mmCIF file with all atom_site columns, all heavy atoms in Angstrom:
data_model
loop_
_atom_site.group_PDB
_atom_site.id
_atom_site.type_symbol
_atom_site.label_atom_id
_atom_site.label_alt_id
_atom_site.label_comp_id
_atom_site.label_asym_id
_atom_site.label_entity_id
_atom_site.label_seq_id
_atom_site.pdbx_PDB_ins_code
_atom_site.Cartn_x
_atom_site.Cartn_y
_atom_site.Cartn_z
_atom_site.occupancy
_atom_site.B_iso_or_equiv
_atom_site.pdbx_formal_charge
_atom_site.auth_seq_id
_atom_site.auth_comp_id
_atom_site.auth_asym_id
_atom_site.auth_atom_id
_atom_site.pdbx_PDB_model_num
ATOM 1   N N   . GLN A 1 169 ? -24.825 -11.316 86.973  1.00 0.00 ? 169 GLN A N   1
ATOM 2   C CA  . GLN A 1 169 ? -24.280 -10.128 87.627  1.00 0.00 ? 169 GLN A CA  1
ATOM 3   C C   . GLN A 1 169 ? -25.405 -9.200  88.095  1.00 0.00 ? 169 GLN A C   1
ATOM 4   O O   . GLN A 1 169 ? -25.295 -8.536  89.137  1.00 0.00 ? 169 GLN A O   1
ATOM 5   C CB  . GLN A 1 169 ? -23.348 -9.391  86.670  1.00 0.00 ? 169 GLN A CB  1
ATOM 6   C CG  . GLN A 1 169 ? -22.046 -10.142 86.393  1.00 0.00 ? 169 GLN A CG  1
ATOM 7   C CD  . GLN A 1 169 ? -21.175 -9.433  85.388  1.00 0.00 ? 169 GLN A CD  1
ATOM 8   O OE1 . GLN A 1 169 ? -21.665 -8.662  84.536  1.00 0.00 ? 169 GLN A OE1 1
ATOM 9   N NE2 . GLN A 1 169 ? -19.867 -9.677  85.439  1.00 0.00 ? 169 GLN A NE2 1
ATOM 10  N N   . ARG A 1 170 ? -26.492 -9.171  87.352  1.00 0.00 ? 170 ARG A N   1
ATOM 11  C CA  . ARG A 1 170 ? -27.638 -8.352  87.758  1.00 0.00 ? 170 ARG A CA  1
ATOM 12  C C   . ARG A 1 170 ? -28.240 -8.872  89.066  1.00 0.00 ? 170 ARG A C   1
ATOM 13  O O   . ARG A 1 170 ? -28.617 -8.095  89.943  1.00 0.00 ? 170 ARG A O   1
ATOM 14  C CB  . ARG A 1 170 ? -28.702 -8.362  86.649  1.00 0.00 ? 170 ARG A CB  1
ATOM 15  C CG  . ARG A 1 170 ? -29.978 -7.611  86.985  1.00 0.00 ? 170 ARG A CG  1
ATOM 16  C CD  . ARG A 1 170 ? -29.719 -6.162  87.307  1.00 0.00 ? 170 ARG A CD  1
ATOM 17  N NE  . ARG A 1 170 ? -30.955 -5.430  87.572  1.00 0.00 ? 170 ARG A NE  1
ATOM 18  C CZ  . ARG A 1 170 ? -31.027 -4.283  88.220  1.00 0.00 ? 170 ARG A CZ  1
ATOM 19  N NH1 . ARG A 1 170 ? -29.896 -3.717  88.672  1.00 0.00 ? 170 ARG A NH1 1
ATOM 20  N NH2 . ARG A 1 170 ? -32.171 -3.686  88.404  1.00 0.00 ? 170 ARG A NH2 1
ATOM 21  N N   . ILE A 1 171 ? -28.325 -10.189 89.212  1.00 0.00 ? 171 ILE A N   1
ATOM 22  C CA  . ILE A 1 171 ? -28.847 -10.772 90.448  1.00 0.00 ? 171 ILE A CA  1
ATOM 23  C C   . ILE A 1 171 ? -27.941 -10.428 91.620  1.00 0.00 ? 171 ILE A C   1
ATOM 24  O O   . ILE A 1 171 ? -28.398 -10.117 92.724  1.00 0.00 ? 171 ILE A O   1
ATOM 25  C CB  . ILE A 1 171 ? -29.015 -12.298 90.288  1.00 0.00 ? 171 ILE A CB  1
ATOM 26  C CG1 . ILE A 1 171 ? -30.177 -12.603 89.334  1.00 0.00 ? 171 ILE A CG1 1
ATOM 27  C CG2 . ILE A 1 171 ? -29.249 -12.959 91.643  1.00 0.00 ? 171 ILE A CG2 1
ATOM 28  C CD1 . ILE A 1 171 ? -30.410 -14.061 89.090  1.00 0.00 ? 171 ILE A CD1 1
ATOM 29  N N   . VAL A 1 172 ? -26.634 -10.457 91.402  1.00 0.00 ? 172 VAL A N   1
ATOM 30  C CA  . VAL A 1 172 ? -25.690 -10.097 92.457  1.00 0.00 ? 172 VAL A CA  1
ATOM 31  C C   . VAL A 1 172 ? -25.925 -8.657  92.905  1.00 0.00 ? 172 VAL A C   1
ATOM 32  O O   . VAL A 1 172 ? -25.859 -8.329  94.088  1.00 0.00 ? 172 VAL A O   1
ATOM 33  C CB  . VAL A 1 172 ? -24.239 -10.303 91.987  1.00 0.00 ? 172 VAL A CB  1
ATOM 34  C CG1 . VAL A 1 172 ? -23.259 -9.754  93.013  1.00 0.00 ? 172 VAL A CG1 1
ATOM 35  C CG2 . VAL A 1 172 ? -23.964 -11.779 91.739  1.00 0.00 ? 172 VAL A CG2 1
ATOM 36  N N   . GLU A 1 173 ? -26.220 -7.751  91.958  1.00 0.00 ? 173 GLU A N   1
ATOM 37  C CA  . GLU A 1 173 ? -26.487 -6.365  92.299  1.00 0.00 ? 173 GLU A CA  1
ATOM 38  C C   . GLU A 1 173 ? -27.771 -6.215  93.125  1.00 0.00 ? 173 GLU A C   1
ATOM 39  O O   . GLU A 1 173 ? -27.853 -5.383  94.039  1.00 0.00 ? 173 GLU A O   1
ATOM 40  C CB  . GLU A 1 173 ? -26.599 -5.526  91.029  1.00 0.00 ? 173 GLU A CB  1
ATOM 41  C CG  . GLU A 1 173 ? -25.294 -5.402  90.247  1.00 0.00 ? 173 GLU A CG  1
ATOM 42  C CD  . GLU A 1 173 ? -25.508 -4.656  88.938  1.00 0.00 ? 173 GLU A CD  1
ATOM 43  O OE1 . GLU A 1 173 ? -26.686 -4.319  88.641  1.00 0.00 ? 173 GLU A OE1 1
ATOM 44  O OE2 . GLU A 1 173 ? -24.528 -4.416  88.210  1.00 0.00 ? 173 GLU A OE2 1
ATOM 45  N N   . LEU A 1 174 ? -28.773 -7.030  92.787  1.00 0.00 ? 174 LEU A N   1
ATOM 46  C CA  . LEU A 1 174 ? -30.086 -6.865  93.411  1.00 0.00 ? 174 LEU A CA  1
ATOM 47  C C   . LEU A 1 174 ? -30.176 -7.525  94.786  1.00 0.00 ? 174 LEU A C   1
ATOM 48  O O   . LEU A 1 174 ? -30.932 -7.069  95.645  1.00 0.00 ? 174 LEU A O   1
ATOM 49  C CB  . LEU A 1 174 ? -31.181 -7.441  92.504  1.00 0.00 ? 174 LEU A CB  1
ATOM 50  C CG  . LEU A 1 174 ? -31.412 -6.698  91.183  1.00 0.00 ? 174 LEU A CG  1
ATOM 51  C CD1 . LEU A 1 174 ? -32.357 -7.490  90.294  1.00 0.00 ? 174 LEU A CD1 1
ATOM 52  C CD2 . LEU A 1 174 ? -31.993 -5.310  91.449  1.00 0.00 ? 174 LEU A CD2 1
ATOM 53  N N   . ARG A 1 175 ? -29.430 -8.584  94.997  1.00 0.00 ? 175 ARG A N   1
ATOM 54  C CA  . ARG A 1 175 ? -29.557 -9.341  96.244  1.00 0.00 ? 175 ARG A CA  1
ATOM 55  C C   . ARG A 1 175 ? -28.502 -8.910  97.245  1.00 0.00 ? 175 ARG A C   1
ATOM 56  O O   . ARG A 1 175 ? -27.314 -8.879  96.945  1.00 0.00 ? 175 ARG A O   1
ATOM 57  C CB  . ARG A 1 175 ? -29.456 -10.841 95.962  1.00 0.00 ? 175 ARG A CB  1
ATOM 58  C CG  . ARG A 1 175 ? -30.669 -11.372 95.199  1.00 0.00 ? 175 ARG A CG  1
ATOM 59  C CD  . ARG A 1 175 ? -30.586 -12.840 94.933  1.00 0.00 ? 175 ARG A CD  1
ATOM 60  N NE  . ARG A 1 175 ? -30.391 -13.630 96.149  1.00 0.00 ? 175 ARG A NE  1
ATOM 61  C CZ  . ARG A 1 175 ? -30.428 -14.960 96.166  1.00 0.00 ? 175 ARG A CZ  1
ATOM 62  N NH1 . ARG A 1 175 ? -30.665 -15.621 95.039  1.00 0.00 ? 175 ARG A NH1 1
ATOM 63  N NH2 . ARG A 1 175 ? -30.223 -15.616 97.282  1.00 0.00 ? 175 ARG A NH2 1
ATOM 64  N N   . GLU A 1 176 ? -28.966 -8.605  98.462  1.00 0.00 ? 176 GLU A N   1
ATOM 65  C CA  . GLU A 1 176 ? -28.060 -8.134  99.495  1.00 0.00 ? 176 GLU A CA  1
ATOM 66  C C   . GLU A 1 176 ? -27.198 -9.241  100.080 1.00 0.00 ? 176 GLU A C   1
ATOM 67  O O   . GLU A 1 176 ? -26.178 -8.981  100.701 1.00 0.00 ? 176 GLU A O   1
ATOM 68  C CB  . GLU A 1 176 ? -28.867 -7.476  100.623 1.00 0.00 ? 176 GLU A CB  1
ATOM 69  C CG  . GLU A 1 176 ? -29.639 -6.231  100.170 1.00 0.00 ? 176 GLU A CG  1
ATOM 70  C CD  . GLU A 1 176 ? -30.434 -5.635  101.309 1.00 0.00 ? 176 GLU A CD  1
ATOM 71  O OE1 . GLU A 1 176 ? -30.420 -6.237  102.409 1.00 0.00 ? 176 GLU A OE1 1
ATOM 72  O OE2 . GLU A 1 176 ? -31.065 -4.577  101.121 1.00 0.00 ? 176 GLU A OE2 1
ATOM 73  N N   . ASP A 1 177 ? -27.638 -10.501 99.930  1.00 0.00 ? 177 ASP A N   1
ATOM 74  C CA  . ASP A 1 177 ? -26.883 -11.593 100.523 1.00 0.00 ? 177 ASP A CA  1
ATOM 75  C C   . ASP A 1 177 ? -25.760 -12.098 99.624  1.00 0.00 ? 177 ASP A C   1
ATOM 76  O O   . ASP A 1 177 ? -25.126 -13.104 99.927  1.00 0.00 ? 177 ASP A O   1
ATOM 77  C CB  . ASP A 1 177 ? -27.827 -12.758 100.860 1.00 0.00 ? 177 ASP A CB  1
ATOM 78  C CG  . ASP A 1 177 ? -28.597 -13.247 99.649  1.00 0.00 ? 177 ASP A CG  1
ATOM 79  O OD1 . ASP A 1 177 ? -28.668 -12.509 98.654  1.00 0.00 ? 177 ASP A OD1 1
ATOM 80  O OD2 . ASP A 1 177 ? -29.125 -14.375 99.707  1.00 0.00 ? 177 ASP A OD2 1
ATOM 81  N N   . MET A 1 178 ? -25.507 -11.440 98.486  1.00 0.00 ? 178 MET A N   1
ATOM 82  C CA  . MET A 1 178 ? -24.431 -11.833 97.588  1.00 0.00 ? 178 MET A CA  1
ATOM 83  C C   . MET A 1 178 ? -23.398 -10.710 97.511  1.00 0.00 ? 178 MET A C   1
ATOM 84  O O   . MET A 1 178 ? -23.743 -9.565  97.199  1.00 0.00 ? 178 MET A O   1
ATOM 85  C CB  . MET A 1 178 ? -24.976 -12.138 96.183  1.00 0.00 ? 178 MET A CB  1
ATOM 86  C CG  . MET A 1 178 ? -25.851 -13.375 96.120  1.00 0.00 ? 178 MET A CG  1
ATOM 87  S SD  . MET A 1 178 ? -26.372 -13.739 94.419  1.00 0.00 ? 178 MET A SD  1
ATOM 88  C CE  . MET A 1 178 ? -27.271 -15.272 94.661  1.00 0.00 ? 178 MET A CE  1
ATOM 89  N N   . PRO A 1 179 ? -22.122 -11.004 97.780  1.00 0.00 ? 179 PRO A N   1
ATOM 90  C CA  . PRO A 1 179 ? -21.086 -9.952  97.745  1.00 0.00 ? 179 PRO A CA  1
ATOM 91  C C   . PRO A 1 179 ? -20.787 -9.497  96.311  1.00 0.00 ? 179 PRO A C   1
ATOM 92  O O   . PRO A 1 179 ? -20.955 -10.253 95.341  1.00 0.00 ? 179 PRO A O   1
ATOM 93  C CB  . PRO A 1 179 ? -19.876 -10.634 98.382  1.00 0.00 ? 179 PRO A CB  1
ATOM 94  C CG  . PRO A 1 179 ? -20.093 -12.089 98.154  1.00 0.00 ? 179 PRO A CG  1
ATOM 95  C CD  . PRO A 1 179 ? -21.574 -12.321 98.200  1.00 0.00 ? 179 PRO A CD  1
ATOM 96  N N   . ASP A 1 180 ? -20.336 -8.238  96.171  1.00 0.00 ? 180 ASP A N   1
ATOM 97  C CA  . ASP A 1 180 ? -20.033 -7.696  94.843  1.00 0.00 ? 180 ASP A CA  1
ATOM 98  C C   . ASP A 1 180 ? -18.874 -8.425  94.169  1.00 0.00 ? 180 ASP A C   1
ATOM 99  O O   . ASP A 1 180 ? -18.766 -8.403  92.931  1.00 0.00 ? 180 ASP A O   1
ATOM 100 C CB  . ASP A 1 180 ? -19.710 -6.201  94.961  1.00 0.00 ? 180 ASP A CB  1
ATOM 101 C CG  . ASP A 1 180 ? -20.932 -5.383  95.341  1.00 0.00 ? 180 ASP A CG  1
ATOM 102 O OD1 . ASP A 1 180 ? -22.057 -5.878  95.097  1.00 0.00 ? 180 ASP A OD1 1
ATOM 103 O OD2 . ASP A 1 180 ? -20.770 -4.271  95.877  1.00 0.00 ? 180 ASP A OD2 1
#
Side-chain angles (χ1 to χ4, degrees):
Q169 290 177 334
R170 177 59 178 161
I171 289 179
V172 172
E173 293 175 356
L174 293 171
R175 291 181 55 173
E176 297 179 357
D177 57 342
M178 292 184 176
D180 291 338

